[in-house]
Amino acid sequence: MDRRKFLEIGALSTGAVLAGSLPAGAKTETVKTSSTSLPTQGYVKEPARRIPVVDKADVVVVGGGPAGFAAAIAAARQGSDVLVLERQYFLGGLFTGCGVTPIINMYNPVKDGQSVKAVSGICEELCERLDKVGMISFEKCRPKVDPEAAKYYMEEMLSEAGVRLLYGVQAAQILMSGDRVTTVIVEGKSGRVAIKADYVIDCSGDGDILEWAGEDFNVYKDDIGAMWRIGHAQASPRGSKTCIPGVLTRHTTGERQQDGLDMYNLTRIQMGLRKMMWEDATNLRANPGCEDLFLMDTPSVVGVRITRVLNSVANVTVEGAAVGKSYDDVIGFTGGDSTLVWNDMKIKAGTRKIWQVPYSALLPKTVSNLWVAGRCFGFERGLTYDAREIGTCLMTGQAAGTAAGIAALRRCGCREVDVPELQSRLRGQKVRLDW
């Protein structure tokens, strides 16, 4: 367990920051700032300043990856005003920006060649749209999408749901009042501004909000690699087919057990991967028939697999996934597309069951208006491969968004959401909850 100690920035006091921005009689808010594991060279004092509030929403979703995308649509469909904050200029995160286009764990492979659908709902809706325009194919039992098409149709689905979206904004800080997150402070081309929120869903991938809110979490290291595409590759001896003729996907697991929260490390890895991908395409062109092969695109997002993981109300356990445990507060299934180690046994893909995720795994222990979805929800280390996959992220995002929409309607906290009502609404969205 790794509960971070928050760094107070010099002698700057909370009251000094906020006194000029709060109306008379308003309840004092507290500033939550991020910590760093980097070696420091001293400290500076940040001057107190007034930060303009430029927007507000019933539900603010931090991060527009697969989890944030599904969360935003689900919350909006419950009648909430939803605002997504995304630091890139596209939706999808690693799904579209790092070329991780197979929706692993949407289906569960089995030995006889058949497959069992684990994730449906918004995930299936997106796949159906892509299928209509020929922008999805199947690699074994994994739907594999075209990243540019996915970016387009994800935006279209958000617009249709009435979700508002801000690109190019990095969450930098939060304000809290008691046990509630009241404000997300972001930085972008318009400066440092504040977004007021009744409810917040942390889909940042790295658990940024849950850390600043003071929740318990674990930090894990994993491989940091990349996926990229090559064109005019009909004759290439290596690569995975896509839905576009002559375009193949290439993949490297990259460097093992890397720190995905170290900006210096991420910069070094990104530069090394870019060099490797360029040289890879150059080498492939030396093969007969590959003279016209070219490097089509490289990932715009570093392929970080895992960093912070919430220590939730009830983390999903390896045992629970291995034995197919049933939860009274189930909010979805996901597949088992990897080898799972449990009780010194290796349970291989093809022999594993689909497994349930409970609502309690999305819930922090103290903050009352925050949900965590995507690769940073609560699970044991041994489930990292499955819990971080795109299918799982879409499923947990949809559940978190639906719950936030209910909370906004009922004006209740995240742990006070009526689970039977949540499950009923998820079933109405064609989410699988039953064996």
Side-chain angles (χ1 to χ4, degrees):
M1 187 178 299
D2 179 14
R3 180 163 182 160
R4 294 294 182 88
K5 294 181 180 179
F6 301 106
L7 297 178
E8 296 297 333
I9 308 300
L12 186 60
S13 72
T14 299
V17 175
L18 298 168
S21 59
L22 292 176
K27 188 174 180 180
T28 300
E29 293 175 298
T30 57
V31 181
K32 297 293 186 178
T33 57
S34 65
S35 63
T36 180
S37 59
L38 296 174
T40 58
Q41 301 179 32
Y43 297 90
V44 298
K45 295 180 180 180
E46 183 179 9
R49 54 178 164 170
R50 291 162 60 94
I51 300 174
V53 176
V54 298
D55 211 330
K56 61 182 179 179
D58 297 331
V59 179
V60 170
V61 179
V62 180
F69 157 74
I73 291 174
R77 288 177 177 175
Q78 308 310 308
S80 294
D81 173 36
V82 181
L83 177 63
V84 176
L85 307 176
E86 170 52 50
R87 64 179 179 174
Q88 308 293 342
Y89 283 87
F90 57 86
L91 293 171
L94 295 184
F95 179 39
T96 58
C98 193
V100 189
T101 53
I103 307 181
I104 297 175
N105 282 359
M106 180 179 179
Y107 290 84
N108 200 60
V110 292
K111 275 187 173 180
D112 61 4
Q114 300 299 313
S115 57
V116 177
K117 184 184 293 182
V119 182
S120 48
I122 290 171
C123 175
E124 192 167 22
E125 289 181 42
L126 176 61
C127 289
E128 288 173 351
R129 294 198 184 208
L130 293 167
D131 186 48
K132 286 181 180 178
V133 294
M135 289 290 104
I136 192 168
S137 59
F138 273 80
E139 184 178 70
K140 298 181 180 178
C141 66
R142 301 169 176 176
K144 190 173 183 180
V145 310
D146 177 77
E148 296 306 318
K151 291 175 187 176
Y152 173 79
Y153 284 104
M154 290 170 82
E155 276 191 3
E156 182 178 75
M157 289 176 67
L158 252 64
S159 296
E160 291 173 358
V163 173
R164 297 186 295 120
L165 174 63
L166 269 180
Y167 280 142
V169 290
Q170 173 71 56
Q173 195 176 68
I174 62 171
L175 305 182
M176 294 188 68
S177 178
D179 65 354
R180 296 180 63 84
V181 178
T182 62
T183 309
V184 180
I185 295 174
V186 301
E187 293 183 335
K189 289 299 182 181
S190 299
R192 188 175 176 91
V193 297
I195 311 290
K196 288 288 186 179
D198 290 335
Y199 298 91
V200 177
I201 307 176
D202 187 345
C203 298
S204 63
D206 293 313
D208 294 336
I209 306 302
L210 70 89
E211 181 202 6
W212 299 337
E215 288 293 334
D216 282 339
F217 59 91
N218 299 303
V219 176
Y220 299 138
K221 294 181 179 180
D222 211 326
D223 311 335
I224 297 181
M227 298 182 76
W228 66 99
R229 295 188 296 175
I230 52 177
H232 285 175
Q234 294 93 332
S236 175
R238 298 184 297 276
S240 175
K241 290 183 179 180
T242 70
C243 53
I244 301 176
V247 175
L248 299 181
T249 297
R250 302 272 287 149
H251 172 252
T252 178
T253 54
E255 296 189 41
R256 304 287 185 178
Q257 301 301 300
Q258 294 297 304
D259 185 354
L261 297 174
D262 184 327
M263 60 189 184
Y264 293 99
N265 191 44
L266 293 176
T267 301
R268 178 188 63 80
I269 290 172
Q270 179 69 82
M271 292 175 69
L273 286 170
R274 184 168 291 115
K275 181 176 186 295
M276 182 275 297
M277 289 182 281
W278 181 262
E279 292 176 350
D280 175 74
T282 301
N283 292 334
L284 286 174
R285 275 197 295 274
N287 289 288
C290 295
E291 293 81 6
D292 294 329
L293 182 146
F294 66 98
L295 182 59
M296 182 172 174
D297 55 29
T298 61
S300 54
V301 179
V302 183
V304 176
R305 285 175 164 85
I306 198 75
T307 52
R308 300 184 190 96
V309 173
L310 175 69
N311 184 18
S312 67
V313 169
N315 288 356
V316 186
T317 64
V318 173
E319 178 183 8
V323 303
K325 182 177 179 180
S326 294
Y327 298 94
D328 291 338
D329 62 340
V330 56
I331 47 83
F333 278 89
T334 189
D337 198 0
S338 67
T339 297
L340 190 67
V341 179
W342 173 64
N343 272 358
D344 296 324
M345 297 185 299
K346 289 187 176 181
I347 310 172
K348 295 184 178 181
T351 63
R352 290 182 55 191
K353 301 177 181 179
I354 59 175
W355 50 281
Q356 291 185 350
V357 175
Y359 179 55
S360 49
L362 311 182
L363 299 176
K365 293 180 179 178
T366 58
V367 182
S368 64
N369 66 334
L370 175 67
W371 291 260
V372 178
R375 72 180 190 216
C376 47
F377 80 96
F379 55 87
E380 286 187 342
R381 179 70 169 107
L383 285 175
T384 297
Y385 182 95
D386 291 329
R388 66 177 174 80
E389 290 296 348
I390 305 302
T392 313
C393 290
L394 287 161
M395 179 271 291
T396 56
Q398 183 166 1
T402 303
I406 293 172
L409 287 171
R410 307 287 181 241
R411 309 311 299 172
C412 67
C414 58
R415 292 179 295 278
E416 298 167 347
V417 169
D418 182 70
V419 171
E421 179 183 6
L422 171 60
Q423 291 170 331
S424 175
R425 290 181 182 240
L426 287 172
R427 286 191 177 95
Q429 300 171 49
K430 299 181 180 180
V431 173
R432 179 173 184 170
L433 299 183
D434 305 300
W435 292 101

